Amino acid sequence: MQISGNLLIGQKAVRGTNGSIRAVNAATGAPIEPAFGGATAADLEAACALAWAAFDAYRETPLEARAQFLETIAQNILDLGDDLIERCVTESGLPRARIEGERGRTVGQLRMFAGVVRDGDFLGVRIDPAQPERKPLPRVDLRLRHVGLGPVAVFGASNFPLAFSVAGGDTASALAAGCPVVVKAHSAHPGTSELVGLAVQKAVKDCGMPEGTFSLLFDSGREIGQGLVKDHRIKAAGFTGSRGGGTALMQLAAARREPIPVYAEMSSINPVLLFPAALKNRADAIGRAFAASLVLGAGQFCTNPGLILAVDGPDLDRFIEAASAALAETPATTMLTPGIHKAYETAVGRAADHAAVKTLARGAAAKASNQGQAALFSTTADAFRQHAELHEEIFGASSLVVRCPDLATMREIVEALEGQLTSALHIDEADHADARAFLPALERRTGRLLVNGFGTGVEVGHAMVHGGPYPSTADGRSTSVGSLAINRFLRPVSYQDMPEALLPAALQSENPLGLNRRLDGKLQLAK
Amino acid sequence: MQISGNLLIGQKAVRGTNGSIRAVNAATGAPIEPAFGGATAADLEAACALAWAAFDAYRETPLEARAQFLETIAQNILDLGDDLIERCVTESGLPRARIEGERGRTVGQLRMFAGVVRDGDFLGVRIDPAQPERKPLPRVDLRLRHVGLGPVAVFGASNFPLAFSVAGGDTASALAAGCPVVVKAHSAHPGTSELVGLAVQKAVKDCGMPEGTFSLLFDSGREIGQGLVKDHRIKAAGFTGSRGGGTALMQLAAARREPIPVYAEMSSINPVLLFPAALKNRADAIGRAFAASLVLGAGQFCTNPGLILAVDGPDLDRFIEAASAALAETPATTMLTPGIHKAYETAVGRAADHAAVKTLARGAAAKASNQGQAALFSTTADAFRQHAELHEEIFGASSLVVRCPDLATMREIVEALEGQLTSALHIDEADHADARAFLPALERRTGRLLVNGFGTGVEVGHAMVHGGPYPSTADGRSTSVGSLAINRFLRPVSYQDMPEALLPAALQSENPLGLNRRLDGKLQLAK
């Protein structure tokens, strides 16, 4: 498949005429051919109209057909071969091994959701059979299933050009839920986006899905993204990016005539709590592991460990020494875009200049443009409590150590933190009692609590929560990674006294789909 | 227990000093002693602080203890005996049998949620065990459970002084989910609210729950209700009332520094679709059944059948005749409050005066103040499409018949309707093919589809959806009636590589709570 710079509207390739976007080689800053045409309002209208027209048919596709569609997308992405990998490496500046791994994750996600669709548990079938003899009133027959919310707008993320972009987690979970998807590509990787878009578009055709099941739009500004969230046919949105971008979409969605859910994954500093015994026994090892997590992918992960909390003392100093030594040997790394690099440098410079902040270590100096140099800072507990700006995420390989006088202060600091995607506890057995006292405060503000590890490396599974209370996400009631994400795009519908002939297959008494069901409130396995 | 007019803040009875509310005999308009003191900002602060302080302990109460707490509330409500029934009849103007039934429903709801808590499925436990040998990277151990969102603000509803008020569905589901509750009582039934509040307060004490698990506030204006939704310790709100009230709360919640979910059940006209064969075969019977549903509870149900859609012709005329005859014999009925009665009269008067609307029937004239007189109107399909005001709910026993030239037009009208709590189809077997074509449009905009019945009479069960797309509710992803409502107040938390000693009991490998669990994505029953 060849990159043309076109929009993909249903089965058509359409030249966008609303400005243009140029891909850039992240490592060199050189522009790459061809230019991508920005979508017009008419293109947006066409994509939304097609998505809406597709919805009723797509959401009732048999589970097996929908599962095969997801698997076909996965295979078509693999079939793009090295062209995809090379383009993605060039556009993102991320290493080849990472991009190959990310492709594996993307394909794995699509296949996992194929399994979720086949399994059918996401339909959440509940049947309360009629009780015609009940007194004083007979009981009606009630059957419940979940249906897709409607067409979903998906915003590609800069930092996961495959796994959270055109055919990433949001798209996979929305398609699995029975929702057509209109993607607004991220301008950081338009060529990657088009290639993956072509793979999805081909899968729609290969599998005979309704044309409007998928469209891909480029946008040279913000109009199309905003227009998508405002369009009355769009019933939910998935976004990964900055807090500013996410909250703007939340506000647009809340101001609609019909407000819709926005699932925005925004910002998190992912506190890492080092407990005394662990620090005493393993300060060096934890310091090195922390440095490795911090610089992974140039620190451009939502789960990057941006905050270290520990009781001050020689053990913490050893941790800092080990981490600093490791960071000093870390080469500067190409960042995703010149804009992200510039924002990182500005934020790191501001931290370094902050009166209450001390620079502990920097990574090796940059050897080329657009390379991020890791940074480790420290501050005091008092200063951290006083300065709200120190709680803000720095997107990139920067972290802040807060030297706490004692565990009680450390707990107060936890209580002052905003919502987080992850919180990590480094503990040995002697720390258990101390750690236990922190758990309620951490649970209240975190989607994923992890022990003796770091948040980077988000396992795509069934028990994963990649989400968390605001402002880490717009809606802490859900996850953007893992099979539970399908719930974000579903709503329950109840059918009362409906004749078998009119009931959806999922709700028919004979259970033709072989689903696990809740009968009179009691879960029953089909087999 | 005696009505004192006090606020219930934790275990204290506190005299509110911010204005006062007076209960009124709905049938006579006479004020009833005593006056209820309105809550001050300090009272609000005290209730929220207590709720917040209670949250961590309350959400970790053992399931059996929490279930017994819900059952104790139920028993304490029953123990209020006739005092509660009499006060509630006086304040609401609803018949004694209805109030006794509603008490049964309220108690039944609490007991149902006790069962849901014991069952433990609401925890949604998922375990993806570690795979230390996995290549290229070992897999971590991930375990997921759901936890309560935090303290919940519950707004009592005027039309269900027991089942959707102080210890109604919202309170029961929030308490079941592990969330403390602060109730803002509805001023239409303050005495009923206090009595039920005392029953809950006593249950908190009887069961040794944390003091702040429950508080009850009265408000002579809107400050306290708004203050509750704005308070940073409140993490969700449940509301049943007008669209104006609900959307105001939605906006407040969205504008918070940390936006929170508002579950507002607001307005619905609950379309009833009469299909040709059913109308031909059973026009009279359907007409009579419709009239009975329309006037139930003086029409003061969210699921009241406010719109009839049918193909024009002699069969529809027969339906109208039968319904009109039944309505003409229906005595006017006391409405919940003078304000609601006045709003009903105004809206019915506006409909009667509407150029495009014809009055088909009225119920018997009022014989006392505050009595609502049923009303049946008709209009044409064209007029209904042109006049948005005809789509608005009239709260009370008023309905509008839209005479459609054919089924295609009827379908267009369905596509022009807003989100609905219920849609009803009256069909015979010969109508199945026609009805099937309507189902997608109805599913997209309805929480509960029902056949050959009316939406009034909302079964409290496991397969019930009492919810629907905006504006019938604020959030169509949930239900306010039935066991699924517990999900509204939960969020998932994932635990990675956490030692058994620190894991919550629900997630421990030995499964000490005997829970159904999803292991590696596969549902497994505990027994």
Side-chain angles (χ1 to χ4, degrees), chain B residues 81-383:
Chain B
D82 236 33
D83 288 356
L84 176 65
I85 301 294
E86 280 165 16
R87 179 75 186 201
C88 192
V89 166
T90 306
E91 289 186 332
S92 69
L94 294 167
R96 187 180 175 95
R98 148 73 194 268
I99 293 300
E100 286 177 347
E102 192 177 325
R103 177 178 63 181
R105 178 176 161 172
T106 306
V107 165
Q109 263 176 175
L110 287 157
R111 290 174 175 160
M112 179 191 70
F113 278 112
V116 166
V117 169
R118 277 200 185 91
D119 171 81
D121 281 351
F122 76 98
L123 295 167
V125 169
R126 295 169 164 231
I127 300 183
D128 297 344
Q131 294 176 354
E133 312 299 329
R134 192 183 66 171
K135 303 290 175 197
L137 288 172
R139 194 173 83 167
V140 296
D141 180 276
L142 275 176
R143 297 167 191 240
L144 182 154
R145 68 164 178 166
H146 286 75
V147 301
L149 289 178
V152 171
V154 171
F155 290 77
S158 65
N159 62 338
F160 279 95
L162 297 173
F164 269 81
S165 195
V166 177
D170 286 339
T171 297
S173 53
L175 289 177
C179 300
V181 166
V182 182
V183 175
K184 206 289 276 174
H186 199 287
S187 302
H189 49 266
T192 304
S193 296
E194 186 184 343
L195 286 173
V196 175
L198 288 166
V200 183
Q201 188 187 49
K202 181 167 180 295
V204 169
K205 193 177 174 202
D206 293 345
C207 299
M209 292 291 152
E211 183 179 1
T213 302
F214 174 81
S215 288
L216 171 66
L217 303 176
F218 297 100
D219 184 10
S220 60
R222 289 180 180 178
E223 290 159 49
I224 293 302
Q226 294 178 351
L228 260 181
V229 171
K230 288 198 275 191
D231 191 280
H232 67 281
R233 292 157 297 200
I234 296 293
K235 301 299 186 188
F239 170 90
T240 301
S242 69
R243 195 191 296 198
T247 53
L249 294 184
M250 289 171 70
Q251 283 158 12
L252 281 181
R256 279 169 56 125
R257 188 175 155 176
E258 177 194 0
I260 57 168
V262 169
Y263 299 104
E265 197 221 291
M266 298 186 288
S267 63
S268 181
I269 52 176
N270 305 299
V272 175
L273 286 68
L274 308 177
F275 283 82
L279 206 50
K280 179 154 191 271
N281 297 334
R282 305 183 279 121
D284 297 355
I286 301 173
R288 284 191 299 272
F290 157 70
S293 170
L294 181 65
V295 301
L296 205 66
Q300 300 164 124
F301 287 113
C302 345
T303 51
N304 205 49
L307 184 71
I308 304 285
L309 302 178
V311 175
D312 203 7
D315 295 331
L316 178 58
D317 289 336
R318 282 197 296 126
F319 165 87
I320 289 171
E321 259 171 56
S324 300
L327 288 177
E329 287 171 16
T330 305
T333 329
T334 303
M335 295 191 77
L336 291 160
T337 70
I340 287 172
H341 176 251
K342 193 178 163 196
Y344 174 73
E345 289 295 325
T346 306
V348 164
R350 205 181 297 129
D353 293 344
H354 198 290
V357 170
K358 195 177 151 194
T359 301
L360 298 174
R362 294 299 307 260
K367 291 189 175 159
S369 65
N370 201 27
Q371 287 187 341
Q373 186 188 0
L376 184 61
F377 301 105
S378 74
T379 191
T380 64
D382 277 350

Side-chain angles (χ1 to χ4, degrees), chain A residues 295-318:
Chain A
V295 301
L296 205 67
Q300 300 162 123
F301 287 112
C302 344
T303 51
N304 206 49
L307 184 72
I308 305 284
L309 302 179
V311 176
D312 203 7
D315 294 332
L316 178 58
D317 289 337
R318 282 197 295 126

